[in-house]
Amino acid sequence: MALFGSLFVGLNPYFLENLLYKFDSIYMCISLFFTIFPFLFLKRLRLFFAISTLSLLIMLTTYQSVNFVYLLVVMFLAFIYLSQKRHFVDIFKFLIICFGAFCVALLVFKGFIYKPFHGHISTDIFSISQMPSGIAQNINKFCKAIYFDWCDTQFAMIFCYVFILAFITAILKFKNIRTIFYMSIFLICGFAFSQGIFLLLTDMGLYPRYISAIGVYFAIILIFLAQNGTIKIVKIANLCVIIYVAYGLIFVSNSLAQTLTEQNNHLEFKTNLFIQDLGKIENLNYENIHFRNSVIAPSIRESLIKFKIFNKIVRPYTELSLYGYNTLPRKIGYPNGPKCDPIISEQIVIFDNPFHTIKKDNNNCIVVEHKNIIDPRSVNKNTYLLSLIAKKPIIKHYALKDGFELSLYKFENPNYNLTNDKKLIFVFNKNVKKIAKKAKNGDKHLIIRLVKNREVFIYADKSINDFIQIGSRYFYIVNLADTNIDDIETIELGLLNTENMKFSINLDEIAKK
């Protein structure tokens, strides 16, 4: 069963993204291996210190995203030793050796190997005064990312059971009430600090491959459950959870593989289509080509909706451009990039079909606009909507009635060539569908009127069933088109024909407060 528990190390979607890199994946795996390897020599502390220092240096010079795995194992062993009531001096000595090896490796790396980098990520770290608040912000950012990746799946519920079983198993094994405290520290700190030294970065990236250490965290807990359980019913519960998680991981990894295969095949198909049309253009210079819009295979829509984490992994494979490691560069080489700026007013359409539109201006600048059978935003709703969370809301937690609250955001999304697309995002804290059922007439629609000078200029009527749920929040989008948000004086909303659930919000009064 411990073997099934350890599957979480390599089959979690975050680490699977590492394996998608043809050249770097071997170094990513080596890095993970060397964070665990030193513990084979734990009984000989001097040798353990030397091998730990060397192994951590190898990790730091190959792939740093698993930098906290070594300390995760140290934390868990400390939990075991404390629960076993080992001598405090021995535990302290063990911790000093482990943290000493980690610090020595960091100092050697920082002094002789490290070079600052500013690209898709930055190695800039917080100043000493900013560090406490900066680390707290990064932890909050990380926890939100994990929550929104899994909040709508059964994995969220299963791991609640895993944590409960971890406490029960630890108490029954060690028969020590202090075990609850020790286990709480490991579970909370192990999760919150699993990004390790990345928490010090002023701009901490949360690409799936940077979160792969979380797989080791859950694997440690599952292995602990597999190897312990003194009461039969607890042992059976542990085994059932481990088997279910292992099955879920195999299912998810297989789904991801099929999703990526379908997407790559669709990219090949779309690439062949527009390259045939490009070949018909005389005096074509590939360095004058611009690409717009992403490409998503219709067959992967459901999997992207079901598993939010897939959106992050598949996203690099949804763009056809002259850069990166996707289909197009393999076919036409690696140009240095567009050397012209398209003049929109002078563009004429030279090819137009259900798959793409190709335009050309007087500067011989070519624009290829990809078309999708499905709207990219329809499979990226969560990413699309959650990107507004960091923005300042127009209204935040506005109390409507009986704990029913509304937050309102203005949102513009330039990512899909929709720079003129303005929206209002209504975010409710309660299930609007359940509130609708309370109405005597059973009405299941919500109306939203945007009013200026007592005249309704936007009217929205949407079925409650069409609301987008993300976690515990319920989203509703109103398209503003060319309407200026400043023109809106009052927002009226309510359940149709339900007098006790109608509300009027004066934006001018709120702005003055």
Side-chain angles (χ1 to χ4, degrees), residues 46-112:
R46 290 184 180 179
L47 180 61
F48 172 70
F49 175 83
I51 293 178
S52 291
T53 305
L54 180 60
S55 297
L56 289 170
L57 270 174
I58 294 174
M59 178 271 294
L60 290 170
T61 53
T62 49
Y63 202 62
Q64 301 88 10
S65 70
V66 292
N67 67 88
F68 196 70
V69 169
Y70 179 85
L71 296 182
L72 263 177
V73 180
V74 171
M75 288 175 60
F76 183 73
L77 290 175
F79 154 72
I80 296 293
Y81 296 159
L82 288 168
S83 298
Q84 291 174 340
K85 298 182 179 180
R86 290 196 183 184
H87 199 281
F88 179 76
V89 174
D90 293 336
I91 299 174
F92 183 74
K93 184 178 179 180
F94 164 72
L95 293 175
I96 289 295
I97 289 173
C98 294
F99 284 104
F102 191 82
C103 291
V104 169
L106 276 179
L107 289 173
V108 172
F109 177 74
K110 181 72 167 66
F112 300 99

Side-chain angles (χ1 to χ4, degrees), residues 17 20-21 207-209 260 263-264 267 294-295 309-321 323-327 329 380:
E17 191 190 35
L20 296 177
Y21 287 80
Y207 300 100
R209 59 188 180 276
L260 289 169
Q263 179 63 17
N264 283 328
L267 280 178
S294 56
V295 176
I309 181 64
F310 285 11
N311 282 293
K312 298 178 181 178
I313 299 174
V314 174
R315 189 178 302 141
Y317 301 89
T318 62
E319 297 180 0
L320 282 175
S321 65
Y323 319 102
Y325 301 94
N326 52 29
T327 305
N380 286 312

Side-chain angles (χ1 to χ4, degrees), residues 231-242:
I231 297 179
K232 190 172 183 179
I233 189 171
V234 175
K235 191 169 186 177
I236 293 173
N238 289 351
L239 296 180
C240 289
V241 167
I242 292 168

